[in-house]
Amino acid sequence: MSFDPFSDLPSMMPGHVWLAGAGPGDPGLLTLLAAKALAEADVIVHDALVNEDCLKLARAGAELEYAGKRGGKPSAKQRDISLRLVELAREGRRVLRLKGGDPFVFGRGGEEALTLIEHGVQFRIVPGITAGIGGLAYAGIPVTHREINHAVTFLTGHDSSGVVPDRIDWEAIGRGSPVIVMYMAMKHIAAISAKLIASGRSPDEPVAFVCDAATPSQKVLETTLGRAVEDVAASGLEPPAIVVVGEVVRLRPSLDWLGALSGRELLSDPFADRQRKDSA
């Protein structure tokens, strides 16, 4: 007897909106619930960072509406997107609002949900794998490693006005967070790296930029905090990118599993030159 992985999952209802995360890129990282929503939705309102291969899972006849917001490019206003979801739901449609990564991690999912509540529209949240975890994993970089860090900070590199957020306590984060994962930070890496170095971070601390994470076009730049601006400019890499600062970047020569599939020889012990304590 065949097993249907969707059989016990909830179904989309007319007039309801599902706010779902598509993960960082690879369609294989969609949750079962997000995949079921793609198969049932009447209309899918999607962001720019949703991989087109994910949208291929939409049911035949489903309408696709683009609602991407990209820095420096003409974009729909957030309020207009939120109200469009209300409009579609009131038409009795089954509405899927599909976002790259996770809708509640720098995805404005909370803003859209509050608008739905304001207008009496029922909704469901479908979490996704955020790029700051899944995208880095596809680059062979863990956000935590027992011998390196017991804390990690996730932050955004720009605020709603497009500049480096001044409400972030850069000095405290620079001093207190062993690993920093930054979304939408590539454009402002000069200002951010200067703030972190001023807070006491070493210019030699490793940094990685993961562009188009978890897609066939993924590219990874390994550099240091002091050389980041120069190396990014020389690389020609463009956003979208996830930026990670910290010693976990040094694990990539051992954990670059995608590189290994293409022939890269991985190191069994990236910290062989360090004296470590066995805390098992």
Side-chain angles (χ1 to χ4, degrees):
M1 186 172 67
S2 62
F3 170 69
D4 180 2
F6 299 128
S7 60
D8 293 328
L9 297 179
S11 295
M12 298 191 76
M13 301 296 293
H16 288 210
V17 176
W18 284 22
L19 302 170
D26 188 338
L29 298 182
L30 284 164
T31 65
L32 285 176
L33 205 53
K36 190 170 193 286
L38 279 162
E40 293 182 347
D42 298 314
V43 57
I44 301 166
V45 182
H46 64 94
D47 279 351
L49 296 181
V50 173
N51 191 334
E52 290 185 1
D53 288 338
C54 293
L55 297 175
K56 292 177 182 178
L57 298 176
R59 72 171 181 84
E63 295 180 22
L64 301 180
E65 288 197 11
Y66 176 79
K69 298 179 71 66
R70 298 295 296 273
K73 297 181 180 180
S75 303
K77 294 181 179 179
Q78 183 57 56
R79 183 64 175 173
D80 291 339
I81 296 172
S82 300
L83 291 176
R84 178 59 176 159
L85 300 177
V86 173
E87 179 182 17
L88 291 168
R90 285 179 170 172
E91 292 174 359
R93 311 277 206 99
R94 295 173 294 181
V95 184
L96 173 59
R97 174 66 168 118
L98 192 62
K99 297 170 172 288
D102 180 277
F104 277 6
V105 181
F106 304 118
R108 308 192 189 192
E111 298 173 48
E112 293 174 358
L114 290 173
T115 299
L116 296 175
I117 294 171
E118 176 188 350
H119 293 273
V121 175
Q122 296 203 25
F123 65 94
R124 173 184 286 271
I125 304 298
V126 181
I129 298 175
T130 184
I133 296 175
L136 293 182
Y138 266 53
I141 301 171
V143 293
T144 66
H145 188 73
R146 187 168 59 163
E147 298 174 2
I148 295 174
N149 66 309
H150 295 87
V152 59
T153 297
F154 296 89
L155 59 85
T156 176
H158 69 73
D159 59 19
S160 58
S161 62
V163 300
V164 178
D166 56 11
R167 289 185 290 177
I168 291 178
D169 190 337
W170 293 98
E171 183 177 357
I173 290 175
R175 287 187 290 104
S177 184
V179 173
I180 305 169
V181 178
M182 297 181 282
Y183 297 69
M184 300 167 285
M186 195 173 192
K187 179 180 177 181
H188 300 298
I189 194 60
I192 291 172
S193 59
K195 289 177 181 292
L196 292 176
I197 291 172
S199 74
R201 308 292 283 221
S202 169
D204 295 325
E205 185 169 12
V207 177
F209 294 78
V210 184
C211 299
D212 294 321
T215 71
S217 58
Q218 173 178 292
K219 298 180 180 64
V220 182
L221 171 66
E222 297 175 60
T223 179
T224 63
L225 206 52
R227 290 187 52 84
V229 176
E230 179 182 351
D231 287 350
V232 167
S235 72
L237 294 177
E238 297 286 344
I242 286 290
V243 185
V244 56
V245 178
E247 291 296 309
V248 291
V249 175
R250 298 192 193 279
L251 285 160
R252 188 165 187 264
S254 293
L255 302 181
D256 180 17
W257 58 276
L258 273 176
L261 294 177
S262 300
R264 179 177 185 176
E265 184 175 352
L266 302 182
L267 303 178
S268 62
D269 188 352
F271 302 117
D273 57 345
R274 297 184 180 185
Q275 185 172 357
R276 299 175 297 171
K277 294 182 179 179
D278 185 359
S279 58

